[in-house]
Amino acid sequence: TLEIIHHFVEVLDKYFGNVCELDLIFNFHKAYYILDEVLLGGELQESSKKVILKYIHTHESLAEESEASSMSAASAVVGAVAAVIGK
């Protein structure tokens, strides 16, 4: 059990770069996401820190791309509604 906690703290430390309490307070959602990548059903899911960090960075880049595309779609809808209202 202590080995799993130590592994989780090491992954947090690599992700945040010298993790501290404020990192966990202001980024608790990321800490929970990392915990989900480390553990599954109370058992160690992935033992490689590199693989865990790769999954997390891939997920973040996909989320940023999705957010950017949804913002552009929303601005297109607003523009279309403004054009209809203006006529």
Side-chain angles (χ1 to χ4, degrees), residues 55-85:
Y55 287 147
I56 293 166
H57 291 301
T58 302
H59 180 266
E60 287 178 344
S61 65
L62 290 173
E64 288 174 2
E65 289 176 12
S66 175
E67 185 177 318
S69 66
S70 66
M71 293 296 266
S72 64
S75 64
V77 169
V78 169
V81 169
V84 169
I85 292 174

Side-chain angles (χ1 to χ4, degrees), residues 40-60:
L40 178 67
E43 297 292 327
L44 188 64
Q45 176 178 333
E46 181 59 58
S47 61
S48 171
K49 292 175 216 105
K50 288 181 182 179
V51 171
I52 293 169
L53 293 171
K54 182 181 172 187
Y55 287 147
I56 293 166
H57 291 301
T58 302
H59 180 266
E60 287 178 344

